[in-house]
Amino acid sequence: RAQAPATNLRVGIFVDVPNLVYAAERRKLQIDFGRVLDFFTRDRELVRASAYAPITDDPQAKLENQRFVQHFVGHPYRIITKPLKRFADGSMKANFDIELAIDILTMSDRLDVVVLMSGDGDFRRLVELIASRGVRVEVAAFSETASAELKAVADRYVDFGAHIEDFKILKK
């Protein structure tokens, strides 16, 4: 089948926020998710950019100041939130795998390219399914959090670490 001109490719970007933010913090990096969006939408039509961000269950906390939300404020991302679950041992977790997978599946018929920003190997089957529908899947993650299985099934893998000059916050 003939490939449509690159300028007409419809792209959806789906960000597993904790996956990227934890890896960036370990490297002591600040990522500009506006620049990330520019990088992945070059010559493409952005249909949707969604960021899946856990939030505190504290009703006093300002949403835009929260650790996983602040990176996306002021950029054209739809921010999908859910409170972190607190466990008896004091640990906290918010898992968005199901929401992210459902959103990609329901949008895939309107997209030519899905950019999954996560290294989570749990998304391997999702990537295979989307690719089987003829949608190009690009996985973007830091190498240390990118599952080999996920990279193997993606049409393209982008290592955040190799593009840090494109993605880091520019000092004003």
Side-chain angles (χ1 to χ4, degrees), residues 36-65:
V36 168
L37 205 57
D38 292 343
F39 180 91
F40 285 98
T41 56
R42 256 192 305 238
D43 301 326
R44 301 177 187 178
E45 176 196 341
L46 178 65
V47 175
R48 167 86 33 87
S50 297
Y52 299 81
I55 57 171
T56 175
D57 54 5
D58 175 2
Q60 304 300 310
K62 274 198 160 81
L63 185 66
E64 64 274 11
N65 296 338

Side-chain angles (χ1 to χ4, degrees), residues 16 19-20 23 26-27 116-124 139-154 156-161:
D16 177 357
N19 188 278
L20 290 182
R26 277 194 295 276
R27 289 183 176 214
L116 172 60
M117 294 191 188
S118 178
D120 188 337
D122 289 346
F123 291 123
R124 182 186 62 84
V139 168
F142 283 99
S143 55
E144 62 271 20
T145 60
S147 130
E149 301 82 43
L150 191 60
K151 289 176 4 186
V153 296
R156 175 182 179 212
Y157 167 68
V158 177
D159 177 6
F160 259 74

Side-chain angles (χ1 to χ4, degrees), residues 20 43 49 62 77 83 88 93 98-99 103 131 143 150 152 154 163:
L20 290 182
D43 301 326
K62 274 198 160 81
Y77 289 88
K93 183 165 174 58
I98 297 296
E99 291 87 343
D103 289 353
S143 55
L150 191 60
H163 290 275

Side-chain angles (χ1 to χ4, degrees), residues 58-128:
D58 175 2
Q60 304 300 310
K62 274 198 160 81
L63 185 66
E64 64 274 11
N65 296 338
Q66 293 198 35
R67 176 183 186 189
F68 295 115
V69 173
Q70 66 187 10
H71 304 283
F72 299 92
V73 174
H75 301 299
Y77 289 88
R78 175 177 291 181
I79 303 169
I80 293 112
T81 61
K82 134 166 128 179
L84 286 157
K85 283 195 176 103
R86 292 176 191 273
F87 296 99
D89 67 1
S91 66
M92 296 190 294
K93 183 165 174 58
N95 193 325
F96 280 99
D97 291 6
I98 297 296
E99 291 87 343
L100 194 151
I102 288 171
D103 289 353
I104 289 176
L105 284 168
T106 53
M107 285 203 69
S108 66
D109 60 344
R110 287 166 288 172
L111 299 172
D112 300 304
V113 181
V114 164
V115 178
L116 172 60
M117 294 191 188
S118 178
D120 188 337
D122 289 346
F123 291 123
R124 182 186 62 84
R125 184 69 190 113
L126 171 68
V127 169
E128 289 172 340

